[in-house]
Amino acid sequence: MRETTKQTDGPDHVAIIMDGNGRWAQSRGRPRLFGHQAGGKRVREIVRACPELGIRYLTIFAFSTENWKRTQAEVSGLMMLFKRYIQKEAQALLEQGVCVRFIGDRDKLDPKLVEMMDALEKLTDQNDLVHLTIALNYGGRDEVARATKRLAQEVAAGRLDPDSVDETTLARFLDTCVLPDPDLVIRTSGEARISNFLLWQSAYAEYEFTPVLWPDFTADTFAEIVAKFSARDRRFGAVVG
Ligand code: FPP
């Protein structure tokens, strides 16, 4: 359980809803995929900025369970972009001390992409400087439903006593079971919604909604938001004297 303290340090775990790629591209008269490509470059920059900001865990929302409703061209363009990111960045991530994990339902993803995701996780699993979690075909409700299904299977098999089930038990079945809860959730592009992202895990997170579109989100913007967080009080539901 979390301690009830006044927060004076920076966030340990930052989660980001990277929004605004499409609008950024459209405002330049370019196709939406152009915005996603520009967004991919920001991912590299923001991951590199983490050690200096003292951020050990970074979780980014790359593709939601709802994003399949986009045009076929956009979906396949995004999938191509994820493959290219893994291919091009694997070595650099390894050398930068980044441990990469993916969360979300892999069943619907192209098996070739899943193979590349598995390989990147394995390649970087000894790293410990920054833990980068990429949410791909991820939805918070879907994650809780999948976790509940696995928990129910354990009960049915007689390996878990239903009377022992509490918050900690359920959390063990979530995709994020090895991660701490996020301290700060950032959403870019001016939308003030959480869109099914880390619903369970963000119970006590601070939120920051910035009007900056994701392809314009620089390491400096990131540092400013992190500094603002560090100045806030966090009480986790209690009164701190
Ligand atoms: C939301 O913007 C963004 C996405 C659905 C895709 C996020 C993907 C990237 C940033 C690409 C790179 C990621 C990795 C991991 C390499 P939007 O398209 O909904 O923007 P809009 O609201 O302006 O239309």
Side-chain angles (χ1 to χ4, degrees):
M1 183 164 296
R2 279 205 178 263
E3 278 175 32
T4 304
T5 55
K6 182 168 171 155
Q7 179 82 35
T8 48
D9 296 322
D12 189 38
H13 184 177
V14 178
I16 309 183
I17 303 174
M18 308 179 290
D19 197 10
N21 295 346
R23 275 165 283 168
W24 185 88
Q26 277 160 349
S27 71
R28 286 163 175 75
R30 304 296 299 267
R32 295 176 58 81
L33 208 55
F34 181 68
H36 295 314
Q37 281 161 354
K41 291 188 189 126
R42 288 301 177 202
V43 170
R44 289 182 192 100
E45 180 177 339
I46 295 311
V47 171
R48 286 202 176 101
C50 285
E52 204 177 314
L53 296 173
I55 296 164
R56 290 204 55 216
Y57 294 87
L58 176 71
T59 300
I60 54 174
F61 206 0
F63 194 88
S64 76
T65 46
E66 289 76 33
N67 285 154
W68 297 105
K69 293 178 198 145
R70 297 187 175 207
T71 64
Q72 173 63 30
E74 185 171 352
V75 170
S76 52
L78 275 166
M79 294 301 154
M80 186 75 78
L81 206 60
F82 300 142
K83 285 182 188 159
R84 210 178 303 150
Y85 175 80
I86 295 174
Q87 229 161 27
K88 281 180 71 177
E89 290 299 301
Q91 197 56 33
L93 290 163
L94 178 66
E95 286 163 15
Q96 286 161 34
V98 179
C99 172
V100 185
R101 292 183 186 86
F102 292 89
I103 56 170
D105 187 355
R106 299 179 191 207
D107 287 355
K108 255 183 114 177
L109 297 172
D110 171 8
K112 174 71 192 151
L113 174 59
V114 175
E115 204 179 289
M116 294 171 78
M117 289 157 58
D118 290 341
L120 182 58
E121 285 183 335
K122 195 153 180 271
L123 178 74
T124 61
D125 70 358
Q126 296 304 307
N127 279 346
D128 192 35
L129 185 65
V130 175
H131 292 257
L132 170 65
T133 302
I134 303 177
L136 229 171
N137 192 27
Y138 175 86
R141 287 184 174 183
D142 177 68
E143 180 192 28
V144 172
R146 285 185 290 106
T148 307
K149 185 172 167 183
R150 286 199 298 273
L151 189 152
Q153 284 165 345
E154 290 300 295
V155 170
R159 290 190 290 264
L160 184 63
D161 174 4
D163 285 333
S164 74
V165 174
D166 59 12
E167 291 179 17
T168 315
T169 322
L170 184 59
R172 280 210 311 268
F173 289 86
L174 294 172
D175 297 349
T176 53
C177 58
V178 296
L179 304 176
D181 286 345
D183 303 295
L184 172 64
V185 179
I186 301 170
R187 182 174 187 144
T188 60
S189 93
E191 309 288 348
R193 296 187 295 275
I194 56 168
S195 299
N196 207 5
F197 188 45
L198 301 177
L199 295 179
W200 173 282
Q201 298 84 347
S202 300
Y204 292 101
E206 297 280 328
Y207 283 90
E208 180 69 25
F209 300 103
T210 169
V212 177
L213 302 176
W214 177 251
D216 291 328
F217 191 90
T218 63
D220 286 344
T221 321
F222 192 32
E224 279 164 27
I225 291 176
V226 167
K228 199 163 125 186
F229 167 92
S230 307
R232 292 176 183 170
D233 282 357
R234 296 181 77 207
R235 299 193 175 86
F236 303 105
V239 175
V240 178

